[in-house]
Amino acid sequence: MFLPFSCNKKSTVTTNEKEKDGKKREYRSAARSRRLIRDAYAALMQEKPVDKISVSDIVRLADLNRGTFYAHYANPQAVLVEISDEIVSTMQNFLVDFNFSHFLQNPLPLLSKVEELLTANFDFYRKINLPAVFADFTDKIKNILIERIASDTSLPKTVRNSPEFRVALELFAGGLISVYLSFVQGKIKADSTQITGALNMLIRHAFVQFF
């Protein structure tokens, strides 16, 4: 009497498992395609101007078909836009629970997150050189940092509103980003650990006069 019910239940479980496995394979395949497209784009940026990179160039180097490319991107420029947006989004996520006062006391946790991001993607970031493609990329990152600190209510209002603090903040944010860009571009002869250590030491003393 109960055999058909048991079989149906087993069949349902098996079907659900197959659907889950299928979705996992589809996700892995899509992720692989995007990675191949992005890597191909980065490699092509070493050979020709961005506006000369075509879909044909990308799919030929990535060994994919045009349909796969258009399943993920509307055009070649969309590849760079996605990469830029991802970096901006990552920086915003780093700053979700950001407290500037705590950061000044111990900058290392946030600096270590940035170091980990850069070292994990170092060769890729060096190839794409986003600041050279998007003139506003550096300002966008800098403004995110400045706005987050300026709106941090853990700081005394008198400090946040002082012209001296705003000048120091502009110098701090611009300098920090400049150091990281110079590191990625190979202009600073130091490894990521040395960069993090130097920044950690400098930041701890940079705003002492305001607190």
Side-chain angles (χ1 to χ4, degrees):
M1 291 291 293
F2 296 101
L3 184 58
F5 177 78
S6 299
C7 288
N8 288 339
K9 185 176 180 180
K10 184 176 181 181
S11 176
T12 301
V13 171
T14 302
T15 300
N16 289 339
E17 288 176 348
K18 286 182 178 179
E19 288 178 354
K20 288 180 181 179
D21 289 342
K23 289 179 180 178
K24 286 180 181 178
R25 284 194 296 271
E26 184 179 347
Y27 174 80
R28 287 195 295 267
S29 177
R32 176 179 176 275
S33 295
R34 294 175 87 91
R35 185 178 69 253
L36 289 171
I37 290 169
R38 288 157 63 121
D39 287 346
Y41 196 105
L44 288 164
M45 288 181 71
Q46 311 304 300
E47 302 174 6
K48 57 176 67 179
V50 170
D51 59 355
K52 300 297 184 183
I53 297 176
S54 67
V55 173
S56 296
D57 293 330
I58 296 170
V59 297
R60 187 182 304 113
L61 188 58
D63 195 22
L64 298 169
N65 59 54
R66 296 175 70 88
T68 300
F69 177 89
Y70 285 116
H72 299 290
Y73 302 102
N75 51 57
Q77 183 73 1
V79 180
L80 275 183
V81 171
E82 179 186 73
I83 296 167
S84 174
D85 289 347
E86 282 181 0
I87 295 173
V88 170
S89 178
T90 299
M91 292 307 300
Q92 289 173 324
N93 289 336
F94 284 171
L95 298 174
V96 167
D97 299 317
F98 183 77
N99 180 299
F100 193 52
S101 298
H102 293 167
F103 172 71
L104 292 179
Q105 294 170 16
N106 183 17
L108 204 53
L110 179 59
L111 294 178
S112 296
K113 285 183 180 180
V114 176
E115 178 186 352
E116 185 179 344
L117 174 68
L118 292 179
T119 53
N121 301 279
F122 185 80
D123 290 336
F124 184 72
Y125 287 163
R126 175 172 286 190
K127 286 178 182 177
I128 60 174
N129 193 14
L130 282 175
V133 181
F134 297 124
D136 66 337
F137 176 75
T138 302
D139 283 341
K140 188 181 294 185
I141 297 292
K142 184 181 77 172
N143 289 337
I144 288 172
L145 183 56
I146 289 176
E147 288 169 11
R148 183 66 187 84
I149 295 173
S151 63
D152 188 344
T153 54
S154 71
L155 299 174
K157 191 173 182 179
T158 52
V159 170
R160 284 185 283 134
N161 292 339
S162 74
E164 294 82 4
F165 180 76
R166 298 296 301 204
V167 170
L169 189 54
E170 186 79 23
L171 183 63
F172 161 72
L176 185 66
I177 292 166
S178 178
V179 167
Y180 282 127
L181 287 177
S182 294
F183 167 64
V184 171
Q185 293 166 353
K187 296 177 182 178
I188 296 180
K189 303 305 179 184
D191 61 34
S192 61
T193 303
Q194 291 170 325
I195 295 289
T196 298
L199 289 173
N200 180 55
M201 179 186 66
L202 293 169
I203 290 170
R204 293 167 79 98
H205 297 89
F207 290 83
V208 172
Q209 69 185 78
F210 296 104
F211 301 97

